[in-house]
């Protein structure tokens, strides 16, 4: 199975940022040339895919030229063209959150993510699309319209970092930074066929990422990179987290993998399960230890706890969403079990929140015990291939086809629960394609704080794919 992004990139676009940096060191390409390659990709497919929704071309060109003149600069991303999710503040540029009433608002200072990209020498060329207030699994809003899947424009890129994933997949950007509270990096990475990392909670600052100007770190939410290789994710994570030291090298023979058994609360498409089984077999062929195992917890209850705590966390922003929906003339929220659960979470008392948090901490202890026996847990990143693009569906009523049956998309939270509720690092690795040609991804998780180890495992899989000539091929 491929572990690199699977799209044919436009001419002038390197395979990834790591290859670009090597080419720059050799003098084979300049930062300005790399930037122009990204602009050419945007000009070629931007109208079709609609991933990059704001550009600062003149400023980016000036910055690229400055990076080319700075011959002694040693930033990890020196001269690399990047984008950021539209919801991150970038001083002097708009942060709209997809709401037309915010169209003229300019950020007064950089978010921490933008500041760290600049410190590393990256050239920020623009911002990528989002759903309004990040409140959907689909990426669409009234200001910019929908983002389409790069492989099939009738399909979804996913949300809420759909613009991020689509931009990286098509060569419009080398690296993007998205956010993930309940799968918002992982789901688009799967749909678009790129690498995505939701880091351990708290490892990357979210300062400058709030429509309310909040200074606190939001519960479960994490900022993380999307890119075209494991090497690039490691590079970007080091920049964003300021993690010091070399990434520890590992070999697959030394890794204890657990394959998550099927969960009744989250039906998985047969093709998606086949991808998991093939990945498991090929890990075994590469010498890894693979066992069917899971933490001793009630996945249905844990997913319910996650949903309640997410809605409690987003309850203040929910007021902005309600105002936005009213202005746009959207229908009232659907009356279904998921909408009722959302409403219950949004109205939690502090006493109830504390009880749920205590329940979460017990689950964290159980997962810690599980990772004393296993190094990596892997499972699907989604219930099936990228679904049809349906930007106008009410989010809590959104469904995805699974074995020909429309299933509520929110059931997929069960796949993302461990990484979100329990603060774990979660990595989505591109692993071949479905019969339709749509990308497939595998989700891998490790113990809290073992982000760099998880990145090393992904790198080891890349090496195995490159060296074996057969293992991890579709």
């Amino acid at each position: 199975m491929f572990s690199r992004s699977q799209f044919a990139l436009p001419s002038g676009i390197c395979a990834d940022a790591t290859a670009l940096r090597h080419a720059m060191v050799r003098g084979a390409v300049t930062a300005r040339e790399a930037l122009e390659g990204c602009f050419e990709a945007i000009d070629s497919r931007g109208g079709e895919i609609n991933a990059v929704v704001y550009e600062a071309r003149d400023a980016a060109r000036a910055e690229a030229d400055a990076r080319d003149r700075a011959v002694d600069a040693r930033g990890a991303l020196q001269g690399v063209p990047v984008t950021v999710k539209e919801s991150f503040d970038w001083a002097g540029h708009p942060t709209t959150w997809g709401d037309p009433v915010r169209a003229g608002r300019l950020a007064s200072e950089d978010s921490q993510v933008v500041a760290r990209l600049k410190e590393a020498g990256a050239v920020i060329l623009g911002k990528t699309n989002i759903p309004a207030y990040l409140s959907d699994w689909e990426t669409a809003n009234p200001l910019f319209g929908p983002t389409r899947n790069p492989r099939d424009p009738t399909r979804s890129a996913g949300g809420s970092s759909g613009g991020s994933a689509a931009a990286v997949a098509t060569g419009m950007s080398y690296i993007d930074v998205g956010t993930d509270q309940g799968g918002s990096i992982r789901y688009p990475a799967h749909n678009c066929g790129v690498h995505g990392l939701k880091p351990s909670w708290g490892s990357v600052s979210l300062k400058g990422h709030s429509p309310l100007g909040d200074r606190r770190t939001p519960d479960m939410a994490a900022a993380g990179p999307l890119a075209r290789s494991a090497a690039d994710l490691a590079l970007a994570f080091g920049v964003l987290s300021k993690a010091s030291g070399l990434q520890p090298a590992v070999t697959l023979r030394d890794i204890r993998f657990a394959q998550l058994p099927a969960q009744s609360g989250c039906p998985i498409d047969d093709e998606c399960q086949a991808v998991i089984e093939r990945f498991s077999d090929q890990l075994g062929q590469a010498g890894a230890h693979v066992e069917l195992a899971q933490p001793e917890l009630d996945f249905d209850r844990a997913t319910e706890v996650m949903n309640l705590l997410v809605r409690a966390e987003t309850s203040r922003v929910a007021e902005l969403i309600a105002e936005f929906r009213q202005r746009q003339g959207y229908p009232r929220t659907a009356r279904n079990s998921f909408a009722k659960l959302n409403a219950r979470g949004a109205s939690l008392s502090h006493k109830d929140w504390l009880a749920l948090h205590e329940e979460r901490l017990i689950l964290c202890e159980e997962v810690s015990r599980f990772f004393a026996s296993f190094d990596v847990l892997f499972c699907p990143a989604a219930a099936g291939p990228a679904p049809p693009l349906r930007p106008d569906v009410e989010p809590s009523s959104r469904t995805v086809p699974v074995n020909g049956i429309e299933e509520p998309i929110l059931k997929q939270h069960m796949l993302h629960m461990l990484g979100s509720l329990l603060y774990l690092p979660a990595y989505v690795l591109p692993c071949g394609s479905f019969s339709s040609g749509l990308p497939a991804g595998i989700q891998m998780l490790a113990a809290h704080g073992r982000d760099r180890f998880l990145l090393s495992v992904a790198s080891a899989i890349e090496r195995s794919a490159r060296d074996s000539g057969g293992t991890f091929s579709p």
Side-chain angles (χ1 to χ4, degrees):
M1 299 178 186
F2 295 123
S3 59
R4 286 179 177 265
S5 178
Q6 304 157 45
F7 294 94
L9 296 169
S11 61
I13 301 293
C14 293
D16 60 12
T18 302
L20 174 62
R21 286 294 299 131
H22 290 326
M24 286 178 172
V25 171
R26 296 195 314 269
V29 66
T30 66
R32 179 63 177 270
E33 289 168 342
L35 177 66
E36 295 300 337
C38 291
F39 287 149
E40 288 174 14
I42 293 170
D43 291 340
S44 173
R45 298 199 68 191
E48 175 191 26
I49 303 303
N50 193 37
V52 180
V53 292
Y54 174 80
E55 299 173 57
R57 292 202 178 195
D58 290 344
R61 284 173 172 138
E63 183 64 24
D65 291 342
R67 295 300 173 186
D68 283 330
R69 291 192 297 269
V71 293
D72 294 329
R74 299 183 181 275
L77 294 175
Q78 182 72 12
V80 176
V82 304
T83 47
V84 294
K85 193 172 181 176
E86 205 277 345
S87 45
F88 283 105
D89 285 345
W90 178 16
H93 303 278
T95 304
T96 70
W97 289 81
D99 188 341
V101 302
R102 293 174 174 253
R105 298 190 185 185
L106 302 181
S108 59
E109 59 183 310
D110 288 335
S111 60
Q112 192 66 59
V113 158
V114 167
R116 288 182 176 174
L117 290 172
K118 286 181 175 180
E119 289 170 8
V123 177
I124 304 174
L125 65 91
K127 302 180 93 176
T128 48
N129 205 14
I130 58 171
Y133 296 105
L134 315 186
S135 61
D136 199 351
W137 295 75
E138 192 71 87
T139 293
N141 63 71
L143 266 178
F144 305 121
T147 295
R148 298 171 179 84
N149 190 289
R151 185 64 63 84
D152 178 353
T154 70
R155 298 281 180 154
S156 172
S160 62
S161 304
S164 303
V168 168
T170 52
M172 299 177 191
S173 174
Y174 278 86
I175 292 170
D176 192 283
V177 184
T179 58
D180 188 316
Q181 191 170 42
S184 288
I185 287 172
R186 289 165 280 174
Y187 185 51
H190 163 84
N191 280 8
C192 294
V194 298
H195 295 248
L197 175 69
K198 186 221 76 86
S200 294
W201 185 70
S203 60
V204 177
S205 172
L206 276 168
K207 180 183 178 183
H209 184 271
S210 168
L212 298 168
D214 288 342
R215 290 169 173 77
R216 64 185 180 83
T217 300
D219 189 16
M220 287 182 268
L226 297 98
R228 292 194 289 273
S229 69
D232 280 10
L233 282 197
L235 187 67
F237 177 71
V239 166
L240 296 172
S241 66
K242 292 198 169 181
S244 59
L246 295 175
Q247 182 181 344
V250 300
T251 59
L252 293 181
R253 291 183 180 276
D254 298 328
I255 306 302
R256 301 165 298 171
F257 287 92
Q259 177 185 342
L260 183 71
Q263 303 295 319
S264 61
C266 182
I268 300 297
D269 192 89
D270 289 344
E271 272 202 281
C272 199
Q273 189 60 40
V275 170
I276 290 288
E277 298 299 337
R278 190 165 64 243
F279 180 75
S280 178
D281 290 344
Q282 294 178 333
L283 283 174
Q285 292 168 18
H289 172 84
V290 184
E291 186 177 331
L292 200 66
Q294 70 177 60
E296 292 295 327
L297 54 87
D298 183 333
F299 272 65
D300 291 295
R301 172 56 183 168
T303 304
E304 181 178 53
V305 171
M306 171 193 164
N307 278 299
L308 289 170
L309 290 176
V310 165
R311 296 309 160 196
E313 169 57 42
T314 59
S315 58
R316 291 179 67 213
V317 177
E319 297 174 0
L320 296 179
I321 296 170
E323 294 172 6
F324 162 79
R325 292 175 61 84
Q326 186 175 24
R327 278 187 269 106
Q328 295 300 314
Y330 287 178
R332 301 182 70 177
T333 301
R335 296 181 178 179
N336 55 45
S337 59
F338 291 105
K340 291 178 180 177
L341 185 67
N342 291 348
R344 180 182 159 201
S347 60
L348 282 179
S349 68
H350 187 54
K351 177 182 177 182
D352 290 339
W353 188 94
L354 289 172
L356 289 170
H357 180 57
E358 188 68 20
E359 189 173 349
R360 166 171 48 191
L361 295 179
I362 293 171
L363 296 176
C364 287
E365 291 174 357
E366 172 52 40
V367 167
S368 293
R369 286 191 288 269
F370 176 81
F371 281 117
S373 300
F374 295 96
D375 300 305
V376 174
L377 172 68
F378 68 89
C379 65
L389 180 67
R390 302 164 180 166
D392 297 326
V393 174
E394 196 278 329
S396 71
S397 300
R398 190 171 295 288
T399 61
V400 291
V402 178
N403 295 322
I405 299 171
E406 293 292 330
E407 295 280 1
I409 197 169
L410 284 169
K411 286 187 177 182
Q412 291 186 142
H413 265 163
M414 187 170 289
L415 300 174
H416 303 137
M417 173 271 296
L418 291 173
S420 294
L421 177 66
L422 308 182
Y423 310 133
L424 308 179
Y427 189 119
V428 169
L429 181 78
C431 285
S433 301
F434 297 105
S435 60
S436 61
L438 292 166
I442 298 286
Q443 181 180 194
M444 301 189 298
L445 302 106
H448 181 264
R450 299 201 76 193
D451 304 65
R452 292 170 65 235
F453 167 77
L454 190 57
L455 289 161
S456 295
V457 172
S459 294
I461 293 173
E462 274 196 331
R463 287 196 305 273
S464 180
R466 182 177 62 246
D467 298 341
S468 68
T471 304
F472 301 105
S473 59

